Amino acid sequence: MAKKAPRRTAERILATTLALFNRFGEPNVSTTLISAELNISPGNLYYHFPSKDELVNTLFDQYEGGLYTLLAASEDVGDVEDAWFFLHSLFELIWQFRFLYRDLNHLLSRNRRLETHFPAILMRKRAALRQLVDRLCAGQPADAAAERARDAVAASMVVVLTYWLSYEYVLQPRSAMEPENAQDALLRGAYHVLGLLAPHLDEAPRAHLLALIDAYSHPLPPSSSAPATP
């Protein structure tokens, strides 16, 4: 069997940087830490990525490309199970690049690329989710009040998608961003986004959606509920 070619240094740097950013937060990870984790010299790191912002921007470009590809798939959503899969896929991508959402306000305040690109991302998310809402509510009247309600639902879904991980982090700052918590965090996020949609569906798809929510919902871990008795 042919040996797998070793990853190029630039790919290794990006993978390690992403793991460190996700675990500790971008503001808490220096280029010195990244080079030490990789056991390479700082000069080698700077040869590939002249600044920390270059690392952030390259990872953001990867996220942005994956997101726009995924959002285009909203056109294929035809029922509530498609919607569940689509939203769960969105949360998986957000989790993969969770440092962007964990440290969003900080990054926007100091990174011009994110400052200029993130509003467009939110608008694209909103348009894709509005399309999803329209498809699932296709049999209902679309008067002015219904249009406003659907706009509000799509906007609320974007807010939850954007700030769900911040909510998880506040509840469990020591463990929320650890890989072993990914599945539960994603399921809870999808559960709440879909819950926003449920009241606007007809009876049959609403019952189907509520059954999916019931099947996949998970209670919050004990550490995020009432404090344990000493």
Side-chain angles (χ1 to χ4, degrees), residues 41-198:
S41 69
N44 195 356
L45 175 65
Y46 289 130
Y47 172 79
H48 294 281
F49 298 97
S51 68
K52 187 176 172 182
D53 272 349
E54 285 290 326
L55 287 164
V56 172
N57 291 342
T58 304
L59 291 171
F60 174 73
D61 288 347
Q62 292 180 354
Y63 164 73
E64 188 177 40
L67 179 67
Y68 285 159
T69 298
L70 182 55
L71 291 179
S74 65
E75 298 177 0
D76 300 324
V77 172
D79 57 32
V80 294
E81 290 201 18
D82 290 343
W84 171 269
F85 180 77
F86 174 73
L87 288 169
H88 199 273
S89 297
L90 272 178
F91 273 112
E92 284 182 333
L93 182 63
I94 289 170
W95 179 267
Q96 183 184 351
F97 294 91
R98 56 194 176 276
F99 81 93
L100 292 169
Y101 289 82
R102 168 179 174 163
D103 304 313
L104 182 57
N105 290 348
H106 167 81
L107 288 166
L108 291 176
S109 71
R110 56 174 294 274
N111 185 296
R112 180 62 179 165
R113 182 168 181 78
L114 269 65
E115 180 188 354
T116 56
H117 281 238
F118 233 95
I121 283 178
L122 295 186
M123 292 302 99
R124 288 284 290 273
K125 282 183 186 177
R126 183 169 177 172
L129 291 169
R130 174 59 200 268
Q131 185 176 52
L132 180 150
V133 172
D134 286 343
R135 284 177 175 269
L136 296 182
C137 300
Q140 300 178 8
D143 56 21
E147 289 292 319
R148 287 194 297 271
R150 292 179 189 183
D151 275 341
V153 170
S156 296
M157 292 169 83
V158 171
V159 170
V160 176
L161 277 165
T162 304
Y163 291 103
W164 179 254
L165 289 181
S166 294
Y167 174 75
E168 291 274 336
Y169 182 71
V170 170
L171 289 176
Q172 303 177 82
R174 295 183 181 274
S175 61
M177 298 296 145
E178 297 299 322
E180 62 269 19
N181 293 320
Q183 189 63 17
D184 283 348
L186 299 182
L187 287 171
R188 284 193 293 269
Y191 163 84
H192 285 286
V193 172
L194 286 170
L196 293 169
L197 182 58

Side-chain angles (χ1 to χ4, degrees), residues 207-229:
H208 189 177
L209 177 59
L210 292 175
L212 278 174
I213 289 174
D214 185 61
Y216 286 99
S217 62
H218 285 244
L220 289 172
S223 62
S224 63
S225 56
T229 304

